[in-house]
Amino acid sequence: MSERWARAALTAYRYAGAVAYPLVGPYVAWRASRGKEDRVRRRERYGVAGRARPEGPVIWIHAASVGETIAVVPLVESILDYGVNIVLTTGTVTSAHVADERLGSRIIHQYVPLDLKPAVSRFLDHWRPELAIIAESEIWPMTILELGARNVPQVLVNGRLSDRSFRSWKKRASVAEALFENLAHVVAQSDVDGERFRVLGARPVTISGNLKVDTNPPPVDERALATLQRQIGGRPTWAAISTHDGEEVVAAEVHATLHRRHPGLLTIVVPRHPDRADALAAQISGMGLKIARRSKGDRITPDTDILLGDTIGEMGLYLRLTEIAFVGRSLTSEGGQNPLEPAMLDTAVLAGRNVQNFREAYQRLLDRGGAKLVRDRDMLAGAVNFLLTNEVARHEMMAAGAATVDEMRGALARTLKSLEPYIQPLVVKARLKGANGR
C-alpha cells in the first residue's frame, strides 16, 4: 500500500459517509450496532469465516441493511444464473434474515467484516473474491484500499450520495479521489448521483436508475393476511410505515384527530426499528389509545385504535391492509425511506419534506400524482382525511403510483450490462473449471 493510500485511509475515517466518523469509526459503528447482530456469528465481523470457500470463482456482494439487501436480490439471482458463486455480506440480523428468506442456500451469507485491516485482510484471504460489488453508499476506506491493493475489481451499483455525504467528501477532495479511483466502475441511481461521483474522481460512471424499482413487491403470508383482514372487516385504515423517533406519536395524534370523523378508523404503525416497540407501546397507550401488537399476536378488536407492526419482514402484510401509507424518516427525521414498495402495491404515498435520499423516486411520484408531501402533523392529518373521504382521488393516486413504478423499471438490465465485462470472464472460468472437473 502506497504512502498516499495509507494517508487517505487514516484521513478518510474522519470524513467517510454521511456521518463524520473518527479514526476509530469502525469500532464506534460496531458498538452502536450491538443488539442488532447475531452473537453466535460475531467472529465473522472480525473476518473469521463461518463457511468453507467453494471451488471456482467467487463474487463478493455487499448490501448494508434491509433496503439494500432487497434491492440487490434480483441482481444476485441474475448472477447466480451464470453459475458463479456469491458471498453476500450484510450488516444486521434483519438483513441476514431477508437474505436467507429470499435467497436461501443459493448464496453464502456472512456478516461484513469491520473496516479494520486485520479483519478485512482475514476476510479477503479466506474468500479470495475475484470481483466485489458494493450496493448504494457503503464507502469503507480500508476495505476499498485492501481490495485495490489486491487488484480486485470493485463496482459500486445503485450508487447514491446524499447531500450531506457529498458535502463531506468535497471538503476532502484529495481523500475522495484516492479512494474512488479504486472503483473500477460506478453505476449510479440518477444523473445527480452520477455527477457527484464524477466530481469526486470516480471513472467510469454510468446511470442505471434505482434497482429498488426492479424488485418484486414485498411478500406476504396469505393466511396471516386473511386473518387480519377478517379482524379489520370494513374499517377505514391508513398506515405510517418505516417510522423514526417522533413519527409514531405524530401518527397516533393524527388518529386521535380523525377517528371521530371516520368511525372505526384503524391506524397501522410500523416502526423502522421494531426493538423500540415496548417504549412506543407505553407511549401511545399513555395517550389513551388501545394498541394491538403484531409481535404479541394480539387480536384486532372493534375498539383497537393502533395496530403496532413490531415485526421483521412483514411490510408486505401491513401494506396490503391499507390504501394510504405515510412513509417515515421524512417528518421528524431526515433522508426519507423507500416509497417504491407502497407505490408498487397500489398505495397512495404521503411523506414529509425531508426525502433527500430518495429524491428522484419522490420527484417522479409527485410529477405523476402518486405521492404528496406534507409539512407537519396537521397537514398530514388533512391529507389522510382527504384520501379517506375521497375514494376517486385516492384510487387515482394509487394508480398513478403504480404507473410511475412501471415507468421507472429497467435498472436491473442496465446494471447487468455495466457488470458484464467483469462477470463474463468469471463465467468462462467457472465453466472451464466445471468441464475440467468432469
Side-chain angles (χ1 to χ4, degrees), residues 278-436:
D278 288 344
L280 291 175
Q283 191 173 23
I284 296 173
S285 295
M287 299 170 64
L289 300 174
K290 184 173 180 180
I291 294 180
R293 291 182 60 174
R294 173 67 179 156
S295 66
K296 305 292 187 183
D298 294 342
R299 181 179 177 81
I300 301 172
T301 60
D303 60 345
T304 299
D305 294 295
I306 307 287
L307 170 60
L308 185 58
D310 53 348
T311 55
I312 293 171
E314 291 196 307
M315 187 62 76
L317 171 66
Y318 302 123
L319 287 173
R320 287 174 172 86
L321 295 175
T322 189
E323 295 179 341
I324 305 167
F326 165 79
V327 183
R329 200 186 177 189
S330 60
L331 205 57
T332 63
S333 299
E334 293 188 0
Q337 297 287 175
N338 179 17
L340 298 173
E341 285 186 344
M344 69 177 62
L345 281 173
D346 297 316
T347 307
V349 174
L350 302 173
R353 295 181 173 183
N354 302 313
V355 293
Q356 301 91 329
N357 291 349
F358 295 88
R359 181 184 288 110
E360 184 177 16
Y362 273 104
Q363 191 60 59
R364 294 281 197 97
L365 288 167
L366 291 167
D367 289 345
R368 284 295 303 264
K372 179 179 176 61
L373 301 186
V374 298
R375 180 178 56 253
D376 52 25
R377 177 196 62 194
D378 292 342
M379 193 172 177
L380 174 60
V384 173
N385 178 60
F386 174 79
L387 292 172
L388 288 171
T389 304
N390 296 275
E391 183 177 356
V392 172
R394 182 173 74 248
H395 286 177
E396 287 177 350
M397 196 169 173
M398 293 158 56
T404 302
V405 171
D406 286 340
E407 290 173 359
M408 293 174 67
R409 294 189 186 277
L412 177 60
R414 289 187 283 270
T415 300
L416 285 169
K417 183 176 180 180
S418 296
L419 287 171
E420 189 174 350
Y422 309 99
I423 293 177
Q424 280 304 318
L426 304 184
V427 173
V428 173
K429 185 175 179 180
R431 289 175 179 170
L432 288 174
K433 187 169 187 63
N436 293 334

Side-chain angles (χ1 to χ4, degrees), residues 156-170:
L156 183 68
V157 300
N158 216 36
R160 65 178 177 88
L161 281 173
S162 68
D163 297 345
R164 183 180 178 187
S165 182
F166 180 56
R167 288 195 300 268
S168 180
W169 281 117
K170 276 190 72 177

Side-chain angles (χ1 to χ4, degrees), residues 56-59 79-86 106 423 426-428 430:
V58 167
I59 295 176
I79 295 173
L80 286 171
D81 289 341
Y82 292 126
V84 180
N85 301 302
I86 291 179
R106 290 179 292 167
I423 293 177
L426 304 184
V427 173
V428 173

